[in-house]
Amino acid sequence: MLKNETEEISLPTSAAQVRVTPEELAAALNVLETEKQEAARHRESTVPIGEVVSEMNLEVTPDEVWAQVQKQRRQVEADAEAQAQARHAATVTDTATTRRRFRSWRDIKAWVWVLFWVSGGGGLLTLIPHLIHPAPPVGISVAGDHVSGTYTVQGVGAQRDATVSGDNDTITLRGDVRNLKVEGEDNTVTVIGSVEGVTVDGDGNKIHWTKEKLGK
């Protein structure tokens, strides 16, 4: 027949009997000595409120001074916390800005890839020069009423087109005009050079053409 046996464990009756490793003992002694030194330095750098109030014959009570000191300490703690929150907010903002820039560049690269894929590569390559060097303006356009001036037609293709709109305009075009369109009423347009096609809309418009060369 088995008997239940209970083993009694004897616990130390005081901390003096507790056994620890040399490393644990050295670490504990080091911390305690450091704390004592810090407390001693703190006592040396502080003064008792009641003693100062009494020696200087101040018209305040020690309780009033202590209340003010506590208020100042709370303010210092609040300022430190506010600065920490501001630094955290700045870090979050910088991180968000960096992410937005990354996403923007990633989106641009995605669109470039889509254009490249849709165009088979060649279409995008032909588009790049136009993105770097925009196409020159198309032709000459004079709008408004009672406009008077001389314009030089240059370039090729659509750059040689000219449109005059409005009323009572007096315009001189020098060069080789491809298509001339005059709209409105009572406009006078003189072409010095050449003109291939003319379209006139409106009443009272006059078109003059001479073969005089530029520079004469």
Side-chain angles (χ1 to χ4, degrees), residues 87-106:
R87 288 192 296 269
H88 176 70
T91 302
V92 172
T93 301
D94 293 341
T95 303
T97 301
T98 302
R99 289 177 178 175
R100 284 196 297 269
R101 290 175 179 173
F102 176 76
R103 285 197 298 267
S104 298
W105 172 238
R106 183 177 59 190

Side-chain angles (χ1 to χ4, degrees), residues 97 103 127 152 200:
T97 301
R103 285 197 298 267
L127 178 63
T152 301
V200 179

Side-chain angles (χ1 to χ4, degrees), residues 9-216:
I9 301 175
S10 59
L11 298 176
T13 58
S14 67
Q17 297 177 348
V18 178
R19 301 182 66 85
V20 296
T21 65
E23 292 79 8
E24 291 175 329
L25 180 60
L29 292 176
N30 184 44
V31 171
L32 291 174
E33 184 63 24
T34 302
E35 291 178 350
K36 289 182 179 180
Q37 293 177 358
E38 291 292 337
R41 282 195 293 267
H42 178 71
R43 286 194 299 270
E44 293 174 357
S45 61
T46 58
V47 293
I49 297 176
E51 181 179 334
V52 174
V53 171
S54 176
E55 290 182 356
M56 298 183 64
N57 295 322
L58 300 176
E59 296 181 355
V60 293
T61 65
D63 291 338
E64 292 175 336
V65 176
W66 174 233
Q68 179 61 30
V69 170
Q70 289 179 311
K71 180 179 179 181
Q72 294 172 178
R73 289 180 178 178
R74 289 193 296 270
Q75 184 61 45
V76 171
E77 293 176 355
D79 293 342
E81 183 178 357
Q83 292 177 0
Q85 292 178 353
R87 288 192 296 269
H88 176 70
T91 302
V92 172
T93 301
D94 293 341
T95 303
T97 301
T98 302
R99 289 177 178 175
R100 284 196 297 269
R101 290 175 179 173
F102 176 76
R103 285 197 298 267
S104 298
W105 172 238
R106 183 177 59 190
D107 294 341
I108 292 174
K109 291 193 295 183
W111 276 111
V112 170
W113 171 249
V114 170
L115 292 175
F116 187 86
W117 183 79
V118 171
S119 62
L124 180 60
L125 296 178
T126 58
L127 178 63
I128 292 177
H130 296 285
L131 295 176
I132 300 176
H133 302 289
V138 178
I140 295 174
S141 178
V142 180
D145 299 333
H146 304 284
V147 177
S148 178
T150 300
Y151 302 85
T152 301
V153 180
Q154 297 177 342
V156 296
Q159 293 176 289
R160 294 167 49 209
D161 294 342
T163 301
V164 179
S165 60
D167 300 328
N168 299 295
D169 296 333
T170 303
I171 303 299
T172 300
L173 301 174
R174 301 179 64 87
D176 297 326
V177 180
R178 187 181 71 163
N179 295 313
L180 172 61
K181 184 175 182 179
V182 182
E183 302 173 339
E185 298 180 352
D186 300 321
N187 295 307
T188 301
V189 179
T190 302
V191 179
I192 300 177
S194 66
V195 57
E196 296 179 10
V198 178
T199 302
V200 179
D201 294 330
D203 300 326
N205 295 309
K206 300 178 182 179
I207 309 299
H208 302 286
W209 170 59
T210 174
K211 294 183 179 180
E212 182 179 350
K213 297 298 182 180
L214 292 176
K216 290 187 178 182

